[in-house]
Amino acid sequence: MKKIILFVFFALAMTWQSMGQTESAKAVPLDPDVKMGTLDNGLTYYIRKNAQPANRAEFYLVVNAGATLENPDQNGLAHFCEHMAFNGTKNFKKHDIINYLQSIGMKFGPEINAFTSHDVTAYMLQKVPTDVLENIDTSLMILYDWAGNVSYEDEEIDNERGVIHEEWRSRRSPQFRMSTRYNKVLFKDSKYAEHDVIGDIDIIDNFEYETIKDFYKDWYRPDLEAIIAVGDFDPVLVEQKLTVLFSQRPAHENPRPRTLSEIPDHDETLVAIETDKEATNTMVQVYYKHNPAKEKGMEYYRESLKQQLYNAMVNARLGELLQEENTPFIYGVSVYTPLMRTKDAYIMFGLSKSNKALETLETMIIENQRVKKFGFTEGELERAKSEITAQVEKLYNERNKRKSSEYIWEYFSHFLENEPAPGIEFVYKFTEETLPGIQLDEMNDLAGQWITDKNRVVVITGPENDEISIPTEEEVLATIEQADNKEIEAYIDQVLDKPLVSEIPEAGEIVRGSFDPDFGTTRWTFENGVQVVFKPTDFKDNEILMTAYSPGGTSLYSEDELISAQFATDIADQSGLGDFDRISLDKKLSGKMANVSTYIRTYEEGFNGRTTPKDLETMLQMVYLNFTDARMNEKAFNAFMSRIQASLKNRSANPMTALMDTAMVTSASYHPRVKPLTAERLDEANLEDMDFIFEERFGDPSGFTFYFVGNINPDEAKPLIAKYLGGLPKVKRVESPVDHNIRPPKGVIEKKIYRDMETPKATVYIEFNDEYDYDDAYGRMLLSTVIDVLDIRYTETIREEEGGTYGVRCSVSQKKFPYPHYNVRIYFDCDPGNADKLKAIVYKEIEKLKKEGPVEKDLQGVKENLLKTYQENLKENRKWLSKLKRMDQENQPKNDVLKYTEMVNKLNAKDIKKAAKKYFGKDHIEIILLPTSTENSKTNPMMDKQG
């Protein structure tokens, strides 16, 4: 229950942070900490000071226009306008915007980006450094130009056609293709059915220049735009600058009306059934469409709380069904949520097992009919209330440590849909006063309001192959009628009223302790061998993060036991803890902000956890039970493995599977321990082996080191830590992970894989592997810098100059165990006819870097980003958690961290040039995935049709 409730809460968290504006006559005030205003030309702005993170700010331009405002000959041009903003404006020629932002340490993609949807276009400058006032001025000028001064040069438009064509190609996944078709039913007779944002590819390739300029002129205007600025700056100063700058734009004369695209109602149940040859799963969706609230006042706010409660309770029941061995779906959820701007919907969603679509549909409808007929129980309601209360309390307690990015979306919704943003103080008080008064009978009335015959749409999507039976429309309608009229019984709420830990252990003794002033960490070693490391921080007032590891992992087991070892922690998690099965454990943990998960990786096993100071003991008790009283039962084994098996059954239908599998086994030189996970391989799993492996991996606490980072005081936490970690049984065995000599091949390995494709594309994958001196911290930084420089170069050449791909992805992994080595991956999608040409550019840029070194502006931008990111990470609990663990595991000297800034400043073109020569030798793997239609075995002797 807990996981599902948190999922639903996350999906709807914005609802209670930006709810209701007026209650008929009484308004809900806007958060007093935000400065909101409207200029004479109609432009709206929101400005808020917030110092998390310090010396950083978020600047957004929000345009109340998207794909639904396109004329028929503009299908896709709202999105095209977004792209053109990065290709030259009145005050920034060509790519000067990106060049400038990169020069101050920002990255294109993560921090310089934009998006377009059906109803809105937004431009984002994230984590802009504000310690230099010029950066604020320039950011505002960039937004100003995007808002009305994009150049739209003919040459740049033509260059961008190729980029968007490749984005269209990359995004045409089986789910995208099917959704494009079923949206014509779901949004029947509305523009949402015809305009899918990415657009008509013929229009993208061939539209006249004036056509896109007309869209920009019509809809990019002050009365449809908002500037949102949140960050570590003087809000009065920013308001003054913004007002002077943006007031220069005149209001539009005779503007086109900004209308909303209505989604017509319908009395009959509509059914959409779509299949795709590359689809890997069957999905069942049921929509009950409703009109959004017109008045968003206090009653609306209260209704939002009821929606969250309902969503939490019904999903807890669906979660219980997943524990059954014969449940027809892999995953199921129901939620009331906004669908599009002019429609809300109550949605049932089920990821079905193969050939179980009708059973999934029937089960989901029956469960909702059970609520409709019998309602929820008082116990369910109280647990849901406790979950919401705990989440709101957490937000309230962290109100002074919220990141600037979190505020953006409140004001975003306030501008676009009049969703109020009263602030967490108001939300906390309202929830505290209102939630207890929500009664069970009014909750039970919601099912009758939401689940109706009118405006119902059923969507089923799935693989198109002979082994999968997809139901017909007639079968769907018959199943609905049968489920609606089936005799059902009321839900029985079974609760186990016992303490989580029935027998509290005796506290263990600390035999060794130390304090590191450089990192502010305290380290204890208990008599049972457990080590504990604390780093108290004030980054968040209500967060404690935990991780733990012990050497070993799946490397200690035979090939026949690998699958059992890999899934042992999943089965233990599904089985429960101590006296509690999974269902009763979730109910027991209701309202507790504490979660713990176990893992067994290749060379280690361990824990991850998150909690608050208030619920620290609960998290530690869960750790203790995993060591001393974990469960592993057959029912959980059968239920979980059947779901995983179903999710893997059709994985080969996706052409990308062949590429990923080939890359995996090739880079491991086809070692027998490295194989793709398939439905057939799951048969190797054995419950008895899992039980033994889990007990062996977690039966000895002496090899574990625990790390706690966040709002934790070691002295105050000592009694709990001593009981639940120090009090673990003494075992004391020494073991080390095993190196099975899994190594990449030597030489140049080239492969071409051919697969049938619905949308022809090539995927180029290049990998460099080698051994190196991992203990050379500066060398590791040089390698990472080389990759960052290449990332910039490929964006400029392959994406912008050639228009050949939507993006080239570059990454590097550096590991010390089982042997010091690095792994560089470069891959991208493109037109099959351009694969060889663009692949050549990949190697050309590498060779250029080896011969000439980096361009100064690229290197300087990378260095600025490294320093900027480092400063940001110093205030992140999760980053410290990872760093402390890694330092211990890899025995890293403290200076690798303490002298990080010094190493970054040391980076220079000469060293980068040497590093490129060193790390990019001749040995590499090259794999290209191509459509079968391009196959020519005579000219492609290296083709690999097995993957």
Side-chain angles (χ1 to χ4, degrees), residues 65-70 78 116-121 191 195-197 215:
T68 59
L69 296 180
E70 297 166 339
T116 306
S117 72
H118 287 91
D119 288 305
V120 63
T121 307
K191 291 195 75 171
H195 292 249
D196 63 5
V197 179
F215 184 91

Side-chain angles (χ1 to χ4, degrees), residues 818-865:
Y819 68 103
H821 69 285
Y822 62 88
N823 175 285
V824 172
R825 293 184 176 92
I826 303 167
Y827 61 100
F828 59 90
D829 296 333
C830 65
D831 185 307
N834 288 335
D836 288 338
K837 174 186 176 182
L838 300 180
K839 178 191 72 175
I841 296 176
V842 171
Y843 294 116
K844 179 182 176 181
E845 288 297 329
I846 292 173
E847 290 304 311
K848 186 176 180 181
L849 197 59
K850 290 161 73 171
K851 292 178 181 179
E852 303 174 11
V855 178
E856 182 58 32
K857 73 173 181 65
D858 293 345
L859 176 57
Q860 190 58 36
V862 170
K863 291 173 67 173
E864 289 294 331
N865 179 259

Side-chain angles (χ1 to χ4, degrees), residues 443-463:
M443 290 303 308
N444 292 338
D445 288 342
L446 290 180
Q449 299 172 28
W450 294 353
I451 304 171
T452 63
D453 295 336
K454 185 178 180 179
N455 283 341
R456 179 166 58 189
V457 181
V458 180
V459 177
I460 297 181
T461 60

